[in-house]
Amino acid sequence: MAEETEMKVTKIRNGTVIDHIPNGRALSVLKLLGLTGKEGLTIALVMNVKSKKIGIKDVVKVENLELDPSLVSRLALIAPNATINIIRDYKVYEKRKIVLQDVVENILKCTNPTCISRQSNEPIVSKFKVISKNPLKFQCMYCNRYLMENEVILQITERGG
Amino acid sequence: MGWKNRDVISIEDFSIDDLEVLFKLTDEYLEKGHPNELLKGYIIGNVFLEPSTRTRISFEVAAKKLGAEVVNFIGEYSSIKKGESLFDTFKMMDIYTDLIIIRSPIEGTARYASDVCKKPVINAGDGMLNHPTQAMIDLYTIRKIHGRLNNLKIGVYGDLRYGRASNSFILGIAKYPNNLIYAISPPQLKLREEIKEKLKEIGAILYETTNLNEVISELDVLYVTRIQKERFPDPAEYEKVRGSYKIDLKSLEGSKPELIIMHPLPRVEELSYEVDVTQKQAYFKQVTFGIPLRMALLSLILGKM
């Protein structure tokens, strides 16, 4: 990848690189990963760099941390086209492309208090249809209420880490 | 997709062809009568978790006219009061009955029931979201009176924000070509965004206004709805719009002779009784067609026609 990123941040020895994050969302990704900077990990955050694939992108590199697979489905919501590279000894040990499914189950919460998916005594999981990836827009499949980007990011990052 | 064993959750799920099958059978029941024992041996479950007059009674009458038995489940007098989940209630109804009709104040209840039940589910109204069988009756009424469902100018007047009947009607009539829909409401009760986007998606022409006077002379149909007091999160907001619109003879001055006034009922104060005796009144026709249309619906879903 002959992209600008390499010029700005050196390679990491072991850890995770999350590439192709939509620009402006790197801070939300850190929040989702539960990283505050106080963990002692080396974190590189690059925002608004050119990308052949998505125009302008953000990149997050975290040394000595391998991404918890349970976070991938939530990461997909705020970084639908991102790539996760697990780095071991300077080499890409594993490359994973994040895929945002057309239907997102059991992650987001409907904002309509009178939606069936909000009824606490029912064994029901929330279901959202993806309307738009940029800006993010989801629609509850039970009550049709929209969930807009700011609310999605708030919900995803609030439960992060 | 055929009608047999089909769930009726939203009017959006039905094509013009599907609806035509239903309307033709309704015509047949109206004109030639209906078979008395078509649904003999079937048990229909009416699950009503919110007040209802016409919908519950007309489904019950429709089922009984075809020879079916009906069991009524009224939320207030059931184990739901003791904290039983809807999931368990639906499971039970699925075991005991052959078809389940559900009304609930919670949006998405019928869709949830259709996920839980193997038997067909009919949505008899869920919160502010859907009332598909009312929309079917409304479309049938227009087809019967105007002889067509296209090339019409239709005003929908009132609480378009919380009204499930008006929303389902709008999404129903928008399926047909060359209709112009006027959404007329106080500013606080405008159509919800998701409905407007859906209309845009299907290419319907929508014009929004707060002033009935501006469009009354154009209309072929005026569909009036009450303010849905029970859906307002804040009673003070309801008080602000209460009584803000009313249809009476004066408000209909300048309208076309063929204009019909529709209303899903119940009415509160938005529709004057003086309209009842005019040629324009179509709301009691909607009530009349409710029975044969629901009979046709039950016959098709239970695979008897």
Side-chain angles (χ1 to χ4, degrees), chain A residues 27-47:
Chain A
L27 289 169
S28 301
V29 169
L30 281 190
K31 210 169 171 194
L32 170 64
L33 301 180
L35 296 172
T36 61
K38 291 177 185 161
E39 298 79 11
L41 300 168
T42 303
I43 302 169
L45 186 144
V46 188
M47 297 179 82

Side-chain angles (χ1 to χ4, degrees), chain B residues 101-141:
Chain B
I101 298 162
I102 295 167
R103 167 167 290 191
S104 161
I106 305 292
E107 289 88 33
T109 305
R111 191 152 317 270
Y112 177 47
S114 72
D115 291 346
V116 174
C117 300
K118 290 192 184 86
K119 306 281 172 57
V121 169
I122 297 179
N123 187 1
D126 59 335
M128 64 177 102
L129 197 60
N130 289 309
H131 197 347
T133 64
Q134 181 65 50
M136 290 166 181
I137 293 164
D138 301 338
L139 296 175
Y140 181 78
T141 304

